[in-house]
């Protein structure tokens, strides 16, 4: 998105920060905070990835739910607090 490109131009703003801002501040529904340790942990817990550097598998997982990346991320984060 244009917003993502503009945020990434700012010094000190990386992919995680830019996507988190888009998700939380602008309510953009398709932002995925790549590099987030909680997101990695949830994806591991659900058997999606076994290697946190496996960006291809992470992208393929989220591609199954176009336009829902932010919501899926939030539910994955919430799953970290779920028993079992």
């Amino acid at each position: 998105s244009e917003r993502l490109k503009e945020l990434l131009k700012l010094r000190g703003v990386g992919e995680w920060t830019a996507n988190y801002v888009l998700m939380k501040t602008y309510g953009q529904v398709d932002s995925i905070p790549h590099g987030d340790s909680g997101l990695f942990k949830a994806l591991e817990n659900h058997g999606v990835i076994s290697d946190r550097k496996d960006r291809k598998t992470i992208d393929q997982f989220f591609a199954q739910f176009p336009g829902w990346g932010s919501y899926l991320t939030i539910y994955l984060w919430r799953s970290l607090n779920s028993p079992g």
Side-chain angles (χ1 to χ4, degrees), residues 6-25:
E6 289 302 312
L7 287 170
L8 290 173
K9 289 179 184 177
L10 299 172
R11 184 175 182 207
V13 174
E15 187 175 19
W16 181 90
T17 303
N19 278 297
Y20 191 83
V21 166
L22 290 173
M23 180 188 341
K24 292 297 213 167
T25 304

Side-chain angles (χ1 to χ4, degrees), residues 40-84:
F40 285 145
K41 183 66 177 164
L43 291 169
E44 289 172 338
N45 289 350
H46 291 284
V48 176
I49 60 169
S50 58
D51 179 359
R52 292 176 178 217
K53 294 179 183 176
D54 189 356
R55 175 71 180 254
K56 180 179 176 185
T57 300
I58 294 169
D59 288 341
Q60 289 172 340
F61 175 75
F62 278 96
Q64 297 174 81
F65 311 97
W68 294 92
S70 298
Y71 292 111
L72 186 53
T73 297
I74 290 168
Y75 281 105
L76 285 164
W77 283 336
R78 286 186 180 173
S79 76
L80 295 171
N81 295 322
S82 299

